[in-house]
Amino acid sequence: DGGITQSPKYLFRKEGQNVTLSCEQNLNHDAMYWYRQDPGQGLRLIYYSQIVNDFQKGDIAEGYSVSREKKESFPLTVTSAQKNPTAFYLCASSFLGQGNQPQHFGDGTRLSIL
Amino acid sequence: DQQVKQNSPSLSVQEGRISILNCDYTNSMFDYFLWYKKYPAEGPTFLISISSIKDKNEDGRFTVFLNKSAKHLSLHIVPSQPGDSAVYFCAASLNTGFQKLVFGTGTRLLVSP
């Protein structure tokens, strides 16, 4: 079955620690995205990538980093510079094109601070 | 600056009745509008979309209406089923060289038997 796999489902971070969230897709999508969801808020874009070895900052990129070494993979690192990392993180992917190409989402990773 | 707004945090309807979820937007440059459904601890699932040049799109029990002059869209679910209980997000697409989605804050729908 094609889909987007995020791991782990739950993650705990200690103060000063970097953590990496995994996102893998087998939908042959070109574009991949990372969003953050906080309670009572909509999804906010952290980073996106349209092609391998290229990525762009979204609306709230500070304290995060990404890489896109393979088409299928788009890991997100939450660095110690992100002062409020507790949130639900969602990865998405889509074909390139106009807005009629919907983004498909993984089941998310919930990050908490110890 | 909230470009996409869902002013109703929650909505309760009875099974078999119509559910109407509303969404307002401010940016006239949005070219597509999408609705996503989300269950707890899962990612959003795409439901239905509409181009800004259309005023209606229908898919089974789901119909989306777009009123460009009012910058308003709505999702109608008929008939509503208990399995429809979820959070529904409205999203608008802006073509900035890639498909940027701007999300509303969501409306929690509860369909009671």
Short mmCIF file of all heavy atoms in Angstrom, two decimals, chain B residues 82-107:
data_model
loop_
_atom_site.label_atom_id
_atom_site.label_comp_id
_atom_site.label_asym_id
_atom_site.label_seq_id
_atom_site.Cartn_x
_atom_site.Cartn_y
_atom_site.Cartn_z
N PRO B 82 -22.48 8.93 12.08
CA PRO B 82 -21.62 9.00 13.27
C PRO B 82 -20.13 8.92 12.92
O PRO B 82 -19.30 9.55 13.56
CB PRO B 82 -22.07 7.79 14.10
CG PRO B 82 -23.51 7.63 13.75
CD PRO B 82 -23.59 7.96 12.27
N GLY B 83 -19.79 8.17 11.88
CA GLY B 83 -18.40 8.06 11.45
C GLY B 83 -17.83 9.35 10.88
O GLY B 83 -16.61 9.46 10.68
N ASP B 84 -18.69 10.33 10.62
CA ASP B 84 -18.23 11.63 10.14
C ASP B 84 -17.69 12.48 11.29
O ASP B 84 -17.11 13.54 11.04
CB ASP B 84 -19.37 12.38 9.46
CG ASP B 84 -19.85 11.69 8.19
OD1 ASP B 84 -19.03 11.03 7.53
OD2 ASP B 84 -21.05 11.81 7.88
N SER B 85 -17.88 12.05 12.51
CA SER B 85 -17.41 12.82 13.67
C SER B 85 -15.89 12.92 13.63
O SER B 85 -15.18 11.91 13.70
CB SER B 85 -17.86 12.14 14.97
OG SER B 85 -19.27 12.11 15.06
N ALA B 86 -15.39 14.14 13.52
CA ALA B 86 -13.96 14.40 13.34
C ALA B 86 -13.76 15.90 13.34
O ALA B 86 -14.72 16.67 13.45
CB ALA B 86 -13.46 13.80 12.03
N VAL B 87 -12.52 16.32 13.21
CA VAL B 87 -12.22 17.74 13.01
C VAL B 87 -12.05 17.98 11.51
O VAL B 87 -11.34 17.22 10.84
CB VAL B 87 -10.96 18.16 13.77
CG1 VAL B 87 -10.62 19.62 13.47
CG2 VAL B 87 -11.14 17.96 15.27
N TYR B 88 -12.70 18.99 11.01
CA TYR B 88 -12.64 19.32 9.59
C TYR B 88 -11.87 20.62 9.40
O TYR B 88 -12.18 21.64 10.01
CB TYR B 88 -14.05 19.46 9.01
CG TYR B 88 -14.74 18.13 8.90
CD1 TYR B 88 -15.31 17.53 10.02
CD2 TYR B 88 -14.80 17.45 7.69
CE1 TYR B 88 -15.92 16.29 9.95
CE2 TYR B 88 -15.42 16.21 7.60
CZ TYR B 88 -15.97 15.64 8.73
OH TYR B 88 -16.57 14.41 8.65
N PHE B 89 -10.83 20.54 8.55
CA PHE B 89 -10.02 21.71 8.25
C PHE B 89 -10.31 22.19 6.84
O PHE B 89 -10.33 21.41 5.90
CB PHE B 89 -8.53 21.37 8.35
CG PHE B 89 -8.03 21.17 9.76
CD1 PHE B 89 -7.91 19.90 10.30
CD2 PHE B 89 -7.69 22.27 10.54
CE1 PHE B 89 -7.45 19.71 11.59
CE2 PHE B 89 -7.22 22.08 11.84
CZ PHE B 89 -7.11 20.82 12.36
N CYS B 90 -10.49 23.48 6.74
CA CYS B 90 -10.56 24.14 5.45
C CYS B 90 -9.14 24.61 5.11
O CYS B 90 -8.41 25.07 6.00
CB CYS B 90 -11.51 25.33 5.59
SG CYS B 90 -11.53 26.47 4.24
N ALA B 91 -8.74 24.47 3.85
CA ALA B 91 -7.42 24.94 3.44
C ALA B 91 -7.54 25.64 2.09
O ALA B 91 -8.38 25.27 1.26
CB ALA B 91 -6.43 23.78 3.34
N ALA B 92 -6.73 26.64 1.90
CA ALA B 92 -6.72 27.38 0.64
C ALA B 92 -5.33 27.30 0.04
O ALA B 92 -4.32 27.37 0.75
CB ALA B 92 -7.11 28.83 0.88
N SER B 93 -5.30 27.14 -1.28
CA SER B 93 -4.03 26.98 -1.97
C SER B 93 -3.63 28.26 -2.68
O SER B 93 -4.43 28.89 -3.37
CB SER B 93 -4.17 25.85 -3.01
OG SER B 93 -3.02 25.77 -3.80
N LEU B 94 -2.37 28.62 -2.49
CA LEU B 94 -1.81 29.81 -3.11
C LEU B 94 -0.66 29.38 -3.99
O LEU B 94 0.28 28.73 -3.51
CB LEU B 94 -1.33 30.76 -2.01
CG LEU B 94 -1.03 32.19 -2.36
CD1 LEU B 94 -2.28 32.88 -2.90
CD2 LEU B 94 -0.52 32.93 -1.14
N ASN B 95 -0.73 29.70 -5.26
CA ASN B 95 0.32 29.28 -6.18
C ASN B 95 1.46 30.29 -6.15
O ASN B 95 1.45 31.32 -6.82
CB ASN B 95 -0.24 29.15 -7.60
CG ASN B 95 0.77 28.46 -8.50
OD1 ASN B 95 1.93 28.30 -8.15
ND2 ASN B 95 0.33 28.08 -9.68
N THR B 96 2.47 29.99 -5.31
CA THR B 96 3.62 30.89 -5.18
C THR B 96 4.85 30.24 -5.81
O THR B 96 5.96 30.45 -5.37
CB THR B 96 3.88 31.18 -3.69
OG1 THR B 96 4.13 29.94 -3.01
CG2 THR B 96 2.71 31.86 -3.05
N GLY B 97 4.63 29.42 -6.81
CA GLY B 97 5.72 28.63 -7.37
C GLY B 97 5.65 27.21 -6.83
O GLY B 97 6.24 26.29 -7.37
N PHE B 98 4.94 27.04 -5.75
CA PHE B 98 4.61 25.71 -5.25
C PHE B 98 3.24 25.84 -4.59
O PHE B 98 2.73 26.94 -4.40
CB PHE B 98 5.66 25.20 -4.26
CG PHE B 98 5.45 25.70 -2.84
CD1 PHE B 98 4.96 24.87 -1.86
CD2 PHE B 98 5.75 27.01 -2.49
CE1 PHE B 98 4.76 25.32 -0.56
CE2 PHE B 98 5.55 27.48 -1.20
CZ PHE B 98 5.06 26.62 -0.24
N GLN B 99 2.68 24.69 -4.28
CA GLN B 99 1.32 24.70 -3.73
C GLN B 99 1.38 24.96 -2.23
O GLN B 99 1.52 24.04 -1.44
CB GLN B 99 0.64 23.37 -4.00
CG GLN B 99 -0.80 23.32 -3.53
CD GLN B 99 -1.19 21.94 -3.02
OE1 GLN B 99 -0.38 21.03 -2.99
NE2 GLN B 99 -2.42 21.78 -2.60
N LYS B 100 1.29 26.22 -1.84
CA LYS B 100 1.27 26.55 -0.42
C LYS B 100 -0.17 26.45 0.09
O LYS B 100 -1.07 27.08 -0.45
CB LYS B 100 1.80 27.95 -0.17
CG LYS B 100 1.68 28.35 1.30
CD LYS B 100 2.42 29.61 1.63
CE LYS B 100 2.25 29.91 3.12
NZ LYS B 100 3.14 30.96 3.60
N LEU B 101 -0.36 25.65 1.12
CA LEU B 101 -1.68 25.53 1.73
C LEU B 101 -1.74 26.38 2.99
O LEU B 101 -0.85 26.32 3.83
CB LEU B 101 -1.98 24.07 2.10
CG LEU B 101 -2.32 23.12 0.96
CD1 LEU B 101 -2.68 21.75 1.52
CD2 LEU B 101 -3.46 23.65 0.12
N VAL B 102 -2.80 27.15 3.12
CA VAL B 102 -3.07 27.93 4.32
C VAL B 102 -4.30 27.31 4.98
O VAL B 102 -5.36 27.20 4.36
CB VAL B 102 -3.34 29.41 3.99
CG1 VAL B 102 -3.60 30.18 5.27
CG2 VAL B 102 -2.16 30.00 3.24
N PHE B 103 -4.15 26.88 6.23
CA PHE B 103 -5.19 26.13 6.91
C PHE B 103 -5.99 27.01 7.87
O PHE B 103 -5.46 27.93 8.49
CB PHE B 103 -4.58 24.98 7.72
CG PHE B 103 -4.15 23.81 6.89
CD1 PHE B 103 -2.91 23.80 6.29
CD2 PHE B 103 -4.99 22.73 6.71
CE1 PHE B 103 -2.50 22.72 5.52
CE2 PHE B 103 -4.60 21.63 5.94
CZ PHE B 103 -3.35 21.64 5.34
N GLY B 104 -7.27 26.68 8.00
CA GLY B 104 -8.07 27.24 9.06
C GLY B 104 -7.81 26.48 10.36
O GLY B 104 -7.02 25.53 10.38
N THR B 105 -8.47 26.91 11.42
CA THR B 105 -8.22 26.32 12.74
C THR B 105 -9.03 25.08 13.01
O THR B 105 -8.84 24.43 14.03
CB THR B 105 -8.48 27.35 13.84
OG1 THR B 105 -9.80 27.87 13.65
CG2 THR B 105 -7.47 28.48 13.79
N GLY B 106 -9.95 24.74 12.11
CA GLY B 106 -10.70 23.50 12.25
C GLY B 106 -12.05 23.66 12.94
O GLY B 106 -12.23 24.57 13.76
N THR B 107 -12.97 22.79 12.58
CA THR B 107 -14.28 22.69 13.24
C THR B 107 -14.49 21.24 13.64
O THR B 107 -14.38 20.34 12.81
CB THR B 107 -15.42 23.13 12.31
OG1 THR B 107 -15.27 24.51 11.99
CG2 THR B 107 -16.78 22.91 12.98
#
